[in-house]
Amino acid sequence: MTEEKGKRVERAPDENVRDRRRPKGVDVVRELGDRVILQFNNQTIVESNDAPRMHRGARNVYYEDLSGDRTREIVERDNGVQIVTIRNRYGDVIQRSRIAPDGREYVLSYVDERHYEDESDWRDPGDDLPPMRLTIPREEYILDSEDVEDPDDYYTFLEQPPVERVQRLYSIDEVKRSARVRDIARRVDLDTLNFEFGSASISDTEVQKLEGVATAMEKLLKKNPAETFLIEGHTDAVGTPEANLALSDRRAEAVAEALTNAFGIPPENLTTQGYGEQYLKVNTAAPNRENRRVAIRRITSLVAPVASNK
C-alpha cells in the first residue's frame, strides 16, 4: 500500500462530494447538505464522504497522487497505526489497509483494478451472477434483533460464511451499489433500534441496544482485524425518495459513529450506505417504525482477499 512513490498534494482530493469526478452517464439529481443524489442505469443512490469518521482523533492526515489518476490517503493515529486508502479516479475505494506500528499490514479491502479498466460507466457486477437461490431457512439468512434471546446469537450468526460462493473480489463501492452482490452476505436487521420520524439521532438508551452486535463485532475483530461491516440505513415511504435516501444515509452513519464512540469499533472496519425507502420491511406508504431501521452485513468475504480465499 505504501511502496509506490506518490506526489504529496496540499488538500484532500474531491473534498466536497459534489465536486467528485464521475463516469459518463452518472447525473447529479440533487444536493442535500453534505449528501449528493446520483442517478445512473435506472438506479438512484446517495453518495457521502466518510472522511469525518475516518479522521476523528487522527494526529495527521495527508494525501498523495498516484499513477493512473489514483489517490492515496494516509491517516496517522496517536498509537502509531496508519490507515491507508487508495481510491480510483472516481473516488471508489479500491484498496484499504491498516498498518500496525511494527509494519504488519492488515488488508481490509482490495479489488483488482483491471475490473475498472475501460469502463465508461458504473455497471452492476451482479449482472454477471445467476439469479439468487436461497437454500437455507430465512432465519439463517436474516437475523431480526427482536428475535434475539441471547446476545451471543449475533456472533454465531455473523461468523457464518456467505450463502453462496464469491465469484471475485468487489470494491466496497460495488457492494454498496449492487443489491445482488450484497445479498450474498447474511443480514442482521436491527429492528429494535428506534428512530423518530424524520430523524437520524440516536439517544443514549437506543445506543445501548447496539451492545450485542458490537460485542459480536469485537469478537470477530479479535480473530481477524481486517473484518469489514456494511451498515445499511432505511426509511419508511413518507417523503420524497431523494430526501429519504439522504436521511437513511445519515442513519447508517449515526450507527457507525455510535459503534465507534460507545463500543470502540474502529471506523475503518465500518462502511455505510443509505437506501431510503427502496427496501421496505412492511409494504406501506404510511409512517412505520419497522421501516425506519438499519441493517448490518459482514462483507469481508466480498472485499478482502484472505477472507475470500477461505
Side-chain angles (χ1 to χ4, degrees):
M1 288 288 284
T2 57
E3 281 183 357
E4 183 179 349
K5 185 75 173 176
K7 180 183 178 182
R8 189 82 167 255
V9 291
E10 291 303 317
R11 65 183 294 272
D14 302 330
E15 197 170 74
N16 295 318
V17 180
R18 63 177 178 271
D19 297 331
R20 284 180 183 169
R21 181 177 172 185
R22 295 185 176 91
K24 182 180 177 182
V26 178
D27 298 317
V28 175
V29 176
R30 190 176 174 187
E31 296 177 21
L32 292 165
D34 56 355
R35 262 74 179 173
V36 173
I37 310 300
L38 305 175
Q39 194 164 44
F40 61 96
N41 295 342
N42 298 315
Q43 183 180 7
T44 305
I45 66 167
V46 59
E47 198 171 60
S48 58
N49 189 357
D50 65 0
R53 282 198 309 111
M54 297 294 173
H55 297 175
R56 189 156 299 146
R59 70 181 180 196
N60 189 25
V61 180
Y62 59 95
Y63 302 88
E64 296 173 339
D65 284 338
L66 302 176
S67 62
D69 287 332
R70 296 169 303 139
T71 59
R72 180 166 55 207
E73 174 193 80
I74 297 96
V75 177
E76 296 179 342
R77 301 214 171 113
D78 287 337
N79 58 4
V81 168
Q82 287 185 330
I83 307 302
V84 184
T85 302
I86 294 178
R87 291 180 171 85
N88 69 1
R89 59 186 177 275
Y90 301 130
D92 284 3
V93 174
I94 51 178
Q95 295 179 38
R96 175 169 283 157
S97 289
R98 180 194 293 116
I99 301 177
D102 62 3
R104 181 176 298 182
E105 180 177 354
Y106 299 93
V107 181
L108 279 75
S109 64
Y110 179 93
V111 65
D112 192 329
E113 290 182 68
R114 288 176 296 182
H115 291 299
Y116 287 90
E117 284 181 2
D118 301 321
E119 290 288 350
S120 59
D121 60 1
W122 283 330
R123 64 181 298 274
D124 187 344
D127 292 342
D128 300 330
L129 302 176
M132 183 84 175
R133 290 187 178 180
L134 196 62
T135 59
I136 58 176
R138 179 193 180 280
E139 60 269 19
E140 294 180 22
Y141 179 57
I142 300 172
L143 177 65
D144 294 308
S145 61
E146 62 183 9
D147 296 331
V148 172
E149 298 178 357
D150 186 333
D152 287 340
D153 291 347
Y154 288 111
Y155 176 77
T156 302
F157 183 85
L158 284 172
E159 74 165 344
Q160 296 299 309
V163 295
E164 64 181 46
R165 184 174 176 270
V166 179
Q167 300 296 320
R168 70 165 173 89
L169 287 177
Y170 302 94
S171 75
I172 288 175
D173 295 277
E174 283 182 306
V175 176
K176 290 181 180 183
R177 292 192 290 257
S178 175
R180 176 65 181 89
V181 172
R182 284 194 306 279
D183 284 344
I184 298 172
R186 300 167 202 254
R187 189 180 85 218
V188 174
D189 276 353
L190 294 177
D191 40 20
T192 54
L193 185 68
N194 294 316
F195 289 97
E196 294 298 325
F197 179 77
S199 173
S201 299
I202 307 176
S203 68
D204 291 343
T205 301
E206 296 300 308
V207 167
Q208 293 311 306
K209 295 179 181 179
L210 295 170
E211 184 174 5
V213 73
T215 300
M217 288 179 172
E218 188 177 23
K219 288 176 67 175
L220 286 163
L221 287 166
K222 283 183 178 177
K223 290 173 61 177
N224 174 23
E227 296 283 359
T228 296
F229 302 93
L230 170 64
I231 302 173
E232 306 173 0
H234 301 276
T235 68
D236 55 28
V238 181
T240 67
E242 293 84 3
N244 283 336
L245 276 170
L247 174 59
S248 65
D249 203 52
R250 290 195 296 271
R251 284 175 175 166
E253 183 179 76
V255 169
E257 293 273 16
L259 287 168
T260 297
N261 297 337
F263 302 102
I265 305 300
E268 63 270 17
N269 294 103
L270 305 171
T271 189
T272 63
Q273 183 65 37
Y275 296 101
E277 60 189 69
Q278 296 177 64
Y279 306 104
L280 297 175
K281 194 161 188 176
V282 180
N283 191 14
T284 176
N288 185 279
R289 184 194 64 78
E290 290 186 62
N291 286 329
R292 301 193 294 267
R293 70 195 192 281
V294 294
I296 295 177
R297 300 182 198 258
R298 177 177 165 235
I299 62 169
T300 315
S301 297
L302 302 176
V303 300
V306 174
S308 178
N309 287 339
K310 290 181 179 179

